[in-house]
Every structure is written in structure tokens, then in C-alpha cells.
Amino acid sequence: MSCDFNTTKMSSRRLTAEEALSQLFNWDSNDEEDVSETEDFSEAEDNVTDDPDYQFSDEDSKEESSVIASSSENQGMQQSSSTEGAWTSKDGKIKWSTSPHRSRGRLSSANVIKMTPGPTRFAVTRVDNIHSAFHLFIPSPIEKIILDMTNLEGRRVFQQKWKPMDLTDLHAYIGILVLAGVYRSKGEATASLWNEEKGRPIFRATMSLETFHKISRVIRFDNRETRASRCERDKLAAIRDVWDKWVEILPLLYNPGPHVTVDERLVPFRGIKIWAACDAKSSYAWNMQVYTGKLPGEASEKNQGMRVVLQMSEGLQGHNITCDNFFTSYWLGDELQKRKLTMLGTIRKNKPELPSEILKMQGRPPHSSKFVFTEKATVVSYCPKKNKNVLVMSTMHTDASLSTREDKKPQMILDYNSTKGGVDNLDKVTATYSCQRKIARWPLVIFYNIVDVSAYSAFVLWTEINQHWNVGKLYRRRLFLEELGKSLVTPEIQRRARPARSPAAAAIIENVSTVCEKCKKCICRKHTVTLCPSFTAVLQVLTPCMQLSCLHRHNYLLGQNNL
């Protein structure tokens, strides 16, 4: 059966690594070398579904195998007994057999990945601290778009009263969003965060509530004067440039493991839906796409699930794609195999490619399984309890292996259960410390989602590169986000010309550390003196720190030299 679907048609072309690096980062593409198969990047632990903070464990620091284990290699498996026979699909186009077509043996090329799972060499060489890990996801080109469009809107709205927003202001605004998420204030009124009695002093120390509201009002990601014409052909025009640049960055920084989950994410704002492809183990978002629906006058899309999976998995090879019954079909599995990918997912009972015999429940005892096979796929019908069955299709499994558990679940179902949660876990961890605020503009909701996913992805990079960082603590991600937020707001706190009125906020401004421009050491403001140019010339002979000198570090300047 030929599937009438153009697999090369995409809303935005995925660039090569060299093109993306040149356009997004303005970095030399020669710095990004091919990742060697022998590099040793450790994988994260399995997701802890009961813990709101996703954690990595140091108990399993061995590299995850680049080869997906075949179900035939699992010990303690049994083979289900089936009566030899052949069944025809409901549409009469596929012949199914009740016995396996292939004997157990070596894996096909569709189950061998050639990339080393974990942070790419490009990411490893550029992550020096938590702030640098986050900056990889929102680099200078994206920041420039936001600053240019926000200042354009600010001048239009406030005219002469608008103070141009710079990079420090933008970082401080994002830092406040991150810290608001750390303090679980997603549903809290913004004014209460600045409240002198019940709020957090760091918000008042960073900027006034009026300034925060002003930025939230005018922050833009495109030129609204030209938006109308672009919206006629692109519903995402209001944030398209920022979104596309951000999505192009994701695969450059992390290689997924053998299993990738494709599913939808529902953003709680007027039904915004985002398709996502995530590493099944770490929940790193490797690819994303906003569902914009059909344009006026267009026909309804056919084979949408197939189109989504093919686009989300573009660039992968040798991986297994786990998806639910919205996406799974025999023809999707066939198309993925042409790309050296396998598929595993639940499948709907009304699919015409299934034989009707596998759906029959009469006389079937609980915990029984029925298997059918073709040269390309395997389907199992498992009966968890009387008169109920679950259907799973796989192009990765080729036999009828059953577990030795009491419920005798097929290995296909066990593998599906262990790899289906990549996107769901991403939803969970980002919702725990979400920076989402109550807002009426959907482009800003998309931007908040970008910040949430970027912060989590930066956490994945940081903890896989620095595996001993706060190891053993159950709230590592909260510590990461808190340090990230403070690093973003600190420059704004340091340069505030008008001190905060409340004592608590003023204390934060007073105690925040600054950094010497030459020796890069932290200097406390309490013991800092500012020197005039003529006085600086004298100090150049005595100390490497010229412009700001901490009396605690260089007390000999006031003592021995009587300066």
C-alpha cells in the first residue's frame, strides 16, 4: 500500500550543524567536530516519577549502550504458543502470520545508533558554569531579536518615556521569571511577589514592580507593523523567528539515547498544542513543533500522526521511536524503517491494517497474549483482565517473548511502558517550577515555555557534564534554578542607580558581590573603593586590581603604603 504523504514537506527546513552554528551562534563551525563513537558521556538515571525534581543518580554511571537490546536477549523470557496460521487484515492488503517470520539473531541496522548519547562535544566545550549552560539555549541572536522588537514596541507605546532595554535588563527579566518558578508562584499575583511583608526581597532588589509590568506589556518577538501580512500564511508569525532559531539549537547540544518518545504537550492557554520528541530517559527535548492548525480555505490534514513523527524524528538514525495510538500505524513503521528507525507504540483497534481475529476476546483467559507477524512488524493483543485487551505494534521486536512475571506481560509491553514517558515527564518537571505568569498574549506564553524547557535542558546538560555536582540531594534541580536565576539578576542589582526602599532589598543590593574587571575575583561592595584615573596610575605598580579594590584583599594599600 502506498501512503500518499510527502515526507520532505516541513514547515521549516532543518539546517545542517554547520549552517545552524553559523547563523545562530556566529561561532566557527570548525570547532564542532563529529562526535566519536568512543567518547564516554554517562547517561542519566531513569526518571523518578514520584519526585518533582528530576534527578540523576551516580549509582549508574556506565555509558548506555548504543545498541537497542533485542527482546530475544532478555533472560527469563518465555515464548508464547500460537497455532500456525495466516490472517488477513481488515482492508485485505496485509497478510499476517501467527508465527515469527525471522529467527532471533543479530540486530538490523535500524537498531544501531552511531551517535554517543548525552551532551555533544559542542556543548561540553562551552559549558563553564550554570549561566553558560542556559545561554546555549537562548544565545545572542535570539536575545537581539527580543531586544530590537521590544524596544521598537516600547517606543511606540511609551514614546519619549521609554528607556531603551539592554541585555542586562533582559537577563534580569528572565531571571525574575526563573526565580518566580523556583518559589512555586505560577498562580500567585505578581504584585504579591514584590510585597514588602510577604514577597521576596530579591524581586524588589532587581527592579521595581512597575518596570516588570512595563517590560511584560511591551516585550515582543516580531514587528507588529508587518505581522498582518505574515499571519495570512503563518499563524505563528508573532514568534516564528525566535521559535525556529530555538528549535534549531536543541539537537546541536544533546544526542538522545536509543529510545526517543514522540508525543504532544498541552500548554494551558487556549488549547496551544506542541509536538515534542524527547529522549526517553533524560526527557531532554530534542525537537519541538507548535501545532498551528490549518489555514483558512485549506483542507483537513490527513495522516497527521504520521507526518508529525516523521518530522520530529528527522535527523535520527538507528533509534527506536515510542509513540501512542494517535501516531502508531503499520505504514508509519514501514516509513521509519526506510530511515533506519524502529517504532513501538499502542495502536487503535479500528485500524484497517489489523486482522479482525486478533481483536476477538471470547474465551480468552486473563494474562493471555496473541501475536501476529509480518516481515516488517509484530502486533500483540494482551488481555490484562477479562473482556479487555491492549494492542501494541512494534517493528523492533520479532518474536513472541513473554515475561516470567505473574501477569505474563509480553516484552513488547514492558519495553513500551519503560520508554513512553519521555514527553510526559518533561511536562511534569517543567510544571513543577514553571515561570508561566497570568497573561493574555499567547506569544508570551510560548516564550515562557521556551524559558521553562531551556532551563530544564540546561539542567540536563549541567548534571551530565558535572555528575558530582550536589550529588545525593533530592532537590538538585531547585538548587540549579535558584543559582541560575540569581546569576541572571545579579548584574542588574549591581548597577541599580536608585537603591530599593525596603531594608531587606537594600541589604541584598549591599551584599551582592561584584567582580574585578582584571583579576575576576569577587569583591564585596562593603569593602570596595572607587578610584580616580590619577590614583589608578599609582596602584598599577602595586596591585593587578585597578578600578575596584577590596580593602580586605589589598589592605596593605591603606596600611603599609598609607594611601
Side-chain angles (χ1 to χ4, degrees):
M1 172 179 178
S2 62
C3 182
D4 187 14
F5 178 77
N6 184 5
T7 59
T8 62
K9 181 180 178 182
M10 294 189 63
S11 58
S12 61
R13 182 177 67 90
R14 182 175 292 279
L15 302 178
T16 65
E18 290 76 10
E19 293 173 333
L21 293 176
S22 175
Q23 295 184 18
L24 297 174
F25 296 97
N26 294 322
W27 288 326
D28 187 358
S29 62
N30 292 330
D31 293 341
E32 172 62 5
E33 303 176 16
D34 291 336
V35 179
S36 170
E37 295 183 39
T38 60
E39 285 184 29
D40 185 15
F41 289 117
S42 298
E43 275 295 307
E45 276 292 303
D46 288 332
N47 299 335
V48 182
T49 56
D50 295 330
D51 189 351
D53 291 350
Y54 172 73
Q55 296 297 328
F56 298 125
S57 170
D58 60 343
E59 295 179 359
D60 185 14
S61 60
K62 296 182 179 179
E63 178 184 354
E64 182 173 338
S65 173
S66 296
V67 179
I68 302 176
S70 171
S71 61
S72 62
E73 298 176 356
N74 291 280
Q75 297 181 356
M77 292 292 114
Q78 300 176 353
Q79 296 294 315
S80 66
S81 57
S82 302
T83 304
E84 187 79 22
W87 295 336
T88 304
S89 62
K90 287 182 283 187
D91 60 6
K93 297 180 179 180
I94 302 174
K95 299 295 183 179
W96 294 90
S97 172
T98 56
S99 59
H101 280 253
R102 286 183 289 176
S103 61
R104 291 181 288 177
R106 296 183 60 185
L107 295 174
S108 66
S109 60
N111 288 134
V112 179
I113 60 175
K114 297 183 179 180
M115 58 176 65
T116 303
T120 63
R121 183 179 300 172
F122 178 83
V124 172
T125 56
R126 286 165 175 80
V127 173
D128 300 320
N129 50 48
I130 287 177
H131 183 271
S132 64
F134 180 77
H135 185 63
L136 287 175
F137 294 92
I138 306 183
S140 299
I142 291 180
E143 293 173 337
K144 186 178 185 303
I145 294 175
I146 298 174
L147 288 175
D148 291 346
M149 297 301 103
T150 299
N151 285 323
L152 184 65
E153 181 69 9
R155 290 190 293 269
R156 189 192 69 83
V157 175
F158 297 104
Q159 299 180 355
Q160 300 299 326
K161 294 182 180 180
W162 173 253
K163 178 184 176 182
M165 184 178 178
D166 61 14
L167 195 58
T168 302
D169 296 321
L170 177 60
H171 286 175
Y173 179 76
I174 296 176
I176 285 179
L177 294 176
V178 172
L179 290 173
V182 171
Y183 302 139
R184 305 286 189 93
S185 59
K186 180 174 65 173
E188 185 178 354
T190 305
S192 66
L193 300 177
W194 270 260
N195 186 275
E196 189 168 346
E197 295 181 0
K198 301 179 181 179
R200 297 275 183 166
I202 195 168
F203 294 112
R204 299 191 299 277
T206 304
M207 65 177 64
S208 66
L209 177 60
E210 179 184 1
T211 301
F212 181 81
H213 280 318
K214 187 180 292 186
I215 294 176
S216 297
R217 177 181 175 183
V218 302
I219 189 169
R220 292 294 187 276
F221 314 98
D222 75 323
N223 187 347
R224 65 178 297 168
E225 301 296 333
T226 62
R227 185 185 303 166
S229 59
R230 287 181 285 112
C231 281
E232 293 178 359
R233 58 184 184 276
D234 182 11
K235 293 183 180 180
L236 202 65
I239 196 174
R240 171 63 70 185
D241 289 344
V242 169
W243 176 265
D244 284 350
K245 287 182 180 296
W246 178 71
V247 169
E248 288 168 1
I249 293 169
L250 299 178
L252 302 178
L253 304 177
Y254 192 90
N255 294 326
H259 295 277
V260 175
T261 309
V262 174
D263 206 345
E264 66 177 27
R265 303 184 68 225
L266 292 178
V267 180
F269 184 88
R270 299 179 184 176
I272 295 177
K273 183 162 61 175
I274 299 176
W275 309 115
C278 296
D279 177 66
K281 196 169 189 180
S282 67
S283 291
Y284 178 92
W286 192 80
N287 195 3
M288 282 194 171
Q289 182 184 104
V290 177
Y291 174 65
T292 56
K294 63 178 183 178
L295 293 172
E298 285 188 344
S300 298
E301 182 180 9
K302 295 182 179 180
N303 298 320
Q304 183 185 74
M306 181 174 179
R307 188 265 305 169
V308 169
V309 173
L310 293 177
Q311 290 184 359
M312 289 293 97
S313 61
E314 186 169 338
L316 296 175
Q317 183 174 323
H319 297 77
N320 176 71
I321 307 299
T322 301
C323 49
D324 64 20
N325 60 20
F326 176 79
F327 307 95
T328 307
S329 70
Y330 185 85
W331 310 112
L332 171 62
D334 183 37
E335 192 66 34
L336 288 174
Q337 284 183 318
K338 295 176 183 178
R339 303 184 179 191
K340 296 185 178 180
L341 298 168
T342 57
M343 178 198 70
L344 174 63
T346 54
I347 186 169
R348 293 177 177 174
K349 299 176 183 178
N350 62 354
K351 287 290 185 179
E353 57 260 41
L354 295 177
S356 57
E357 289 85 353
I358 202 171
L359 305 177
K360 296 178 180 179
M361 296 300 301
Q362 185 176 3
R364 287 188 57 181
H367 305 160
S368 62
S369 299
K370 276 186 179 181
F371 288 85
V372 288
F373 307 86
T374 68
E375 289 286 349
K376 299 178 178 179
T378 301
V379 174
V380 62
S381 169
Y382 174 69
C383 180
K385 56 184 180 181
K386 189 176 181 180
N387 296 327
K388 181 176 177 61
N389 70 333
V390 177
L391 297 175
V392 174
M393 177 178 286
S394 173
T395 61
M396 180 178 71
H397 301 79
T398 60
D399 57 19
S401 297
L402 301 178
S403 69
T404 56
R405 298 166 23 148
E406 183 179 354
D407 56 10
K408 296 181 180 179
K409 279 188 177 180
Q411 184 62 32
M412 287 171 54
I413 292 181
L414 295 179
D415 290 343
Y416 172 78
N417 289 340
S418 65
T419 60
K420 69 179 181 180
V423 177
D424 291 339
N425 187 67
L426 177 66
D427 288 341
K428 178 180 178 180
V429 295
T430 53
T432 302
Y433 299 116
S434 177
C435 72
Q436 293 280 351
R437 311 300 307 165
K438 293 182 178 179
I439 198 74
R441 293 192 293 116
W442 67 263
L444 198 51
V445 175
I446 298 291
F447 177 69
Y448 291 156
N449 179 78
I450 289 176
V451 173
D452 281 337
V453 176
S454 297
Y456 176 74
S457 300
F459 169 74
V460 173
L461 290 185
W462 177 255
T463 49
E464 290 206 29
I465 295 173
N466 303 276
Q467 296 183 14
H468 298 293
W469 182 79
N470 285 321
V471 65
K473 293 185 178 180
L474 298 178
Y475 48 92
R476 294 174 78 196
R477 184 162 167 261
R478 182 171 65 81
L479 294 175
F480 175 89
L481 292 175
E482 192 168 14
E483 187 172 338
L484 171 61
K486 289 180 178 179
S487 70
L488 289 169
V489 303
T490 294
E492 180 71 14
I493 294 175
Q494 291 173 343
R495 76 171 187 177
R496 286 198 69 178
R498 184 178 301 173
R501 295 180 180 179
S502 66
I508 291 179
I509 297 176
E510 182 67 23
N511 294 329
V512 71
S513 295
T514 188
V515 178
C516 175
E517 294 183 3
K518 296 206 172 183
C519 71
K520 305 302 180 184
K521 294 180 180 179
C522 292
I523 309 171
C524 60
R525 279 201 168 193
K526 183 177 181 181
H527 302 94
T528 297
V529 292
T530 304
L531 309 176
C532 65
S534 60
F535 196 64
T536 299
V538 177
L539 290 182
Q540 286 179 353
V541 181
L542 303 175
T543 174
C545 302
M546 263 21 92
Q547 298 177 359
L548 292 174
S549 180
C550 180
L551 303 187
H552 276 187
R553 292 187 178 278
H554 308 292
N555 54 10
Y556 66 89
L557 295 177
L558 297 180
Q560 298 176 1
N561 298 282
N562 294 320
L563 294 178

